[in-house]
Amino acid sequence: MKEYKVLGIESSCDETAAAVVVNGRQMLSNVISSQIDIHRLYGGVVPEIAGRNHIEAIDGVVRQALCDANMTVKDIDCVAVTYGAGLVGALLVGLSFAKALSLSANIPLMPVNHIEGHICANYVTHKELEPPYICLLASGGHTAVAEVDDYLKIKILATTLDDAVGEAFDKVARTLGLPYPGGVEIDRLAVKGEVSYKLPNINSEGNFSYSGIKTAVLNTVNSLKQKGDNVNIENMCASFNHFAVEGLVYRAFELAKEKGLDKIAVAGGVGANSLLRRRMEEEGEKRGVRVFLPQKSLCTDNAVMIASNGYFKAANGAPFADMTLNAKPTVKLSAE
Ligand code: KG4
Ligand code: ZN
């Protein structure tokens, strides 16, 4: 089989990333320049600052990705770039760089939907994974259970009616006075606590809703404060983590059963959550469903998943982009 080498470029939020992937599955390099330490000072991502930092980092990050893969631009068959969803000023940096590279080196340009990219982290981790399967998408911007019929056909079966799960993790962490990004902090502290606070279920008429659980945490913290008491942070982390995760696990397996599919993959930043990973594996074993978890480092934003998606799009006949390709803050999935 001919080797098809894709250079992936990602700059949708606070990570500037570039990677080289062969045939959608073999990772040759993975470079990530994270701005987390900068945005932590502000308690969240500041779009203007993100854009400026991407500009400073992008050239070095792409050069490093090529160098780590032992390649030059001439060896690359396709440049895959995230065009959405994300912060428009951040997206434009990666996009403009990719367009310039494509034009000057005469390499085809493949636009990638960031969310579809997250799913592809599984193809790099699990060489044997092929559609059809159910995917639990759990990131900072999206929460959904999708049916992946084919490499390019993704159908949403359940989604969030309000906040995304990662967003809820970050907001609850802020309520508890924990640093950004909150998901990792809650995950870390939850291990030390017990599920002692009763919080609302996140399953809502076949979909998900995180506004109730988020408000319940805020109300509990405020009413304890009024009485001069403090919330037990570790127990609240354990409680929120439990309720935030259990509803996702439940719905993913219910929908797999309904669709008669015996494979479930997890995608997105919250896929790094240790409770979610453990519960998915436990439930998979109990129900005879194979669970695919991306390696932890490929759960959060990276360009390996973007390069992988670029390959599968090119291999399945998706059109390349021209120089009019623009950044889109919101994008739908392929089959929506
Ligand atoms: O997929 P991602 O990197 O970016 C988006 O595309 O949104 O997801 C980032 C989200 C953040 O909300 C972050 O708090 C959450 O993923 N996250 C976690 C963990 N690691 C990252 N949430 C829970 N537990 C974690 N270990
Ligand atoms: Zn992401």
Side-chain angles (χ1 to χ4, degrees):
M1 187 183 176
K2 187 190 170 295
E3 287 201 337
Y4 192 83
K5 301 174 230 49
V6 180
L7 169 69
I9 297 180
E10 153 67 35
S11 70
S12 66
C13 191
D14 57 351
E15 257 98 32
T16 323
V20 177
V21 174
V22 177
N23 293 347
R25 305 229 181 216
Q26 192 194 349
M27 170 169 77
L28 293 192
S29 62
N30 177 21
V31 180
I32 303 174
S33 166
S34 175
Q35 304 175 14
I36 283 180
D37 290 342
I38 301 166
H39 297 287
R40 186 176 288 128
L41 303 171
Y42 306 94
V45 178
V46 183
E48 163 80 15
I49 294 176
R52 287 171 184 269
N53 280 282
H54 284 309
I55 297 230
E56 283 177 19
I58 188 90
D59 183 56
V61 165
V62 171
R63 280 176 198 274
Q64 191 63 49
L66 287 169
C67 176
D68 289 356
N70 218 358
M71 282 182 191
T72 70
V73 173
K74 288 197 187 76
D75 300 309
I76 298 297
D77 297 300
C78 168
V79 178
V81 65
T82 306
Y83 73 98
L87 303 167
V88 76
L91 286 164
L92 279 169
V93 177
L95 191 59
S96 306
F97 194 95
K99 281 161 78 170
L101 195 61
S102 160
L103 187 67
S104 60
N106 200 21
I107 308 169
L109 179 69
M110 185 57 82
V112 171
N113 174 335
H114 182 82
I115 313 307
E116 291 173 12
H118 269 298
I119 298 174
C120 294
N122 286 289
Y123 297 135
V124 178
T125 308
H126 308 283
K127 311 288 183 232
E128 72 285 18
L129 175 63
E130 282 179 14
Y133 59 89
I134 290 289
C135 183
L136 170 61
L137 271 162
S139 75
H142 285 78
T143 306
V145 177
E147 187 176 357
V148 181
D149 284 334
D150 212 328
Y151 287 101
L152 306 190
K153 258 202 233 143
I154 302 154
K155 200 160 65 210
I156 298 288
L157 305 175
T159 186
T160 178
L161 303 173
D162 37 62
D163 283 7
V165 54
E167 195 181 353
F169 265 97
D170 295 339
K171 287 180 180 168
V172 163
R174 198 195 270 238
T175 302
L176 299 176
L178 303 174
Y180 174 85
V184 199
E185 281 297 307
I186 292 183
D187 188 358
R188 189 176 65 80
L189 293 169
V191 182
K192 301 178 184 168
E194 283 173 19
V195 181
S196 62
Y197 294 99
K198 176 90 184 89
L199 298 172
N201 194 320
I202 58 126
N203 293 110
S204 176
E205 292 167 15
N207 285 306
F208 306 111
S209 168
Y210 280 91
S211 71
I213 191 168
K214 211 179 55 185
T215 311
V217 173
L218 187 64
N219 289 346
T220 308
V221 170
N222 285 342
S223 68
L224 282 170
K225 254 192 207 155
Q226 275 167 6
K227 288 185 219 151
D229 285 339
N230 280 325
V231 67
N232 180 314
I233 301 275
E234 288 166 356
N235 285 357
M236 184 55 95
C237 286
S239 307
F240 174 78
N241 203 28
H242 169 80
F243 287 102
V245 161
E246 278 310 318
L248 294 177
V249 176
Y250 168 81
R251 182 68 66 217
F253 281 94
E254 282 306 292
L255 287 168
K257 191 164 85 183
E258 200 179 302
K259 295 288 169 187
L261 291 170
D262 61 359
K263 289 187 276 185
I264 304 182
V266 176
V270 183
N273 182 276
S274 27
L275 180 66
L276 178 65
R277 295 175 80 89
R278 178 161 61 77
R279 288 290 299 118
M280 287 300 295
E281 281 185 329
E282 280 172 6
E283 212 58 27
E285 204 148 300
K286 208 161 84 190
R287 300 190 191 218
V289 172
R290 249 192 104 182
V291 170
F292 297 85
L293 303 168
Q295 64 188 74
K296 269 196 176 184
S297 59
L298 296 183
C299 285
T300 43
D301 291 347
N302 64 83
V304 172
M305 65 188 200
I306 303 302
S308 171
N309 187 251
Y311 166 78
F312 286 108
K313 286 185 85 166
N316 288 283
F320 291 111
D322 63 23
M323 289 300 125
T324 62
L325 179 65
N326 207 344
K328 283 197 177 173
T330 55
V331 281
K332 290 187 170 181
L333 285 167
S334 61
E336 275 183 279

